[in-house]
Amino acid sequence: MVSPRKYEYTDVEIVSFDNAREMRGYTRTPRAMYVGAPGKHGYLRLGFELDGDGKSILRDLDRRAPLIVQQELYFDEELPGMPCVYILSSGGPNVDGDRYRQIITLKKDSMAFVSTGAATKLARMQDNYSGLRQTIELDEGAYLEYLPEPIIPCANTRFISETDMRVHPSATVFYSEIFMGGRKYYGDGELFDYDILSVCTQGERPGGERLFREKFIISPKTFPIRDIGVMHGFDIFANVLVMTPKENIGPIYDATEPFYDADNRLAAGITHLPNDAGLLFKVLGMETGPVKRVVREFCSKVRTQVKGRPLPQEFPWR
């Protein structure tokens, strides 16, 4: 018999990035609700594992408002045994002083798809910043697809995230992020009018062996974002990291053609992560639809290599 999920509501430490150099100018106490106030200190822990019948299930769940997770669904026709989970927020956009902590674990041979119910909107900020710390852990043979909806930074936004991925050499994680330049169609447009976007992702083995670390800091008001080699004429940037067994890297790389489509203003490139950890895939575009399509096509290549099944068609309303 499957044991019930665990709802533990533990006392969780508030994450802080005040020591990050890029955030040192944005540490004033918010004039509205303080850092760590109820509804501003989100916590989420998702734990997937196999049940007695070998089915992947969401066994472990602990959350704190404003983060919400609906019951897992099994709608993927290509992998009907894979639980699909959407992370929601009851608090609207991220605002001054919001802090979030997310932990996703997959035990041996389990699999999961995780996304968000809508785009993550980063509201205007006056005093502080919004921060997210994530830990993703995959045991032997586990498989995770993490494809959240885009992040939309409004004017004067400050956002920082750190993601640690601890992945067994036999496991696979597809981790994607899509960053819009801002509210493109708001008034006269609000592209690249935010203050700071700081994103760090690092991968390691369960024993602590470090494999790679990627960090980029975008500060459009300090460094020109429209330069060649940065965003130039593009408005949207997708960053995808794939950690997978060494034998999968070559076939996925060979099946993925980099391209530059001048007519549709869309481009993509791929490279290897250090230490045979996996692959790094990047997409530039003008609208979210085409960028998401390219990311999903790449995910389909990864899934086909790892699981022998492609990604199904996206729902029309997504």
Side-chain angles (χ1 to χ4, degrees), residues 139-208:
D139 287 346
E140 181 180 356
Y143 177 78
L144 172 65
E145 293 175 355
Y146 185 78
L147 287 91
E149 290 295 299
I151 293 174
I152 307 174
C154 297
N156 305 324
T157 287
R158 305 94 184 228
F159 177 73
I160 183 170
S161 71
E162 290 183 358
T163 301
D164 295 327
M165 298 194 292
R166 303 185 186 119
V167 180
H168 190 275
S170 64
T172 296
V173 56
F174 183 97
Y175 179 85
S176 71
E177 296 172 307
I178 300 176
F179 301 96
M180 297 182 66
R183 295 183 291 181
K184 185 173 182 176
Y185 299 106
Y186 176 77
D188 295 329
E190 196 180 73
L191 283 174
F192 302 113
D193 197 23
Y194 54 85
D195 291 333
I196 293 285
L197 188 65
S198 175
V199 180
C200 180
T201 308
Q202 59 185 17
E204 61 183 43
R205 296 303 181 203

Side-chain angles (χ1 to χ4, degrees), residues 2 41 53 72 104 156 170 218 230 235 242 255 275 279 302 313:
V2 178
H41 175 203
D53 297 323
E72 70 272 33
I104 302 174
N156 305 324
S170 64
I218 306 173
V230 191
D235 295 340
V242 178
N275 301 308
L279 296 163
V302 174
Q313 288 290 326

Side-chain angles (χ1 to χ4, degrees), residues 150-151 176-181 192 194 197 199 214 216 218 225 230-231 234-240 267 269 280-288 291 295:
I151 293 174
S176 71
E177 296 172 307
I178 300 176
F179 301 96
M180 297 182 66
F192 302 113
Y194 54 85
L197 188 65
V199 180
E214 182 195 44
F216 53 87
I218 306 173
I225 202 72
V230 191
M231 290 299 292
F234 294 100
D235 295 340
I236 299 174
F237 166 55
N239 197 52
V240 181
L280 178 63
F281 183 71
K282 296 180 183 288
V283 186
L284 294 172
M286 301 301 295
E287 304 293 340
T288 56
V291 171
V295 170

Side-chain angles (χ1 to χ4, degrees), residues 217-280:
I217 301 172
I218 306 173
S219 51
K221 297 177 183 178
T222 305
F223 299 99
I225 202 72
R226 291 299 191 184
D227 283 355
I228 295 176
V230 191
M231 290 299 292
H232 195 39
F234 294 100
D235 295 340
I236 299 174
F237 166 55
N239 197 52
V240 181
L241 295 103
V242 178
M243 295 182 68
T244 192
K246 185 177 180 179
E247 60 269 20
N248 293 332
I249 297 174
I252 296 171
Y253 183 88
D254 293 340
T256 307
E257 288 289 335
F259 68 87
Y260 176 74
D261 185 343
D263 293 334
N264 295 305
R265 304 184 71 182
L266 196 64
I270 187 171
T271 188
H272 290 265
L273 290 171
N275 301 308
D276 293 321
L279 296 163
L280 178 63

Side-chain angles (χ1 to χ4, degrees), residues 92-108:
N94 291 26
V95 298
D96 253 348
D98 280 3
R99 301 292 188 267
Y100 295 92
R101 180 76 171 100
Q102 295 183 172
I103 303 170
I104 302 174
T105 61
L106 276 74
K107 292 190 176 179
K108 182 178 178 181

Side-chain angles (χ1 to χ4, degrees), residues 9-15 41-43 45 62 64 101:
Y9 298 101
T10 53
D11 185 18
V12 181
E13 181 181 358
I14 302 171
V15 298
H41 175 203
Y43 175 76
R45 188 180 72 240
D62 188 9
R64 175 176 295 176
R101 180 76 171 100

Side-chain angles (χ1 to χ4, degrees), residues 47-74:
F48 299 89
E49 63 179 76
L50 300 180
D51 66 8
D53 297 323
K55 178 182 178 181
S56 293
I57 61 171
L58 177 58
R59 172 79 79 182
D60 185 18
L61 171 61
D62 188 9
R63 68 173 182 85
R64 175 176 295 176
L67 296 179
I68 300 172
V69 169
Q70 296 176 323
Q71 181 177 354
E72 70 272 33
L73 305 172
Y74 294 86

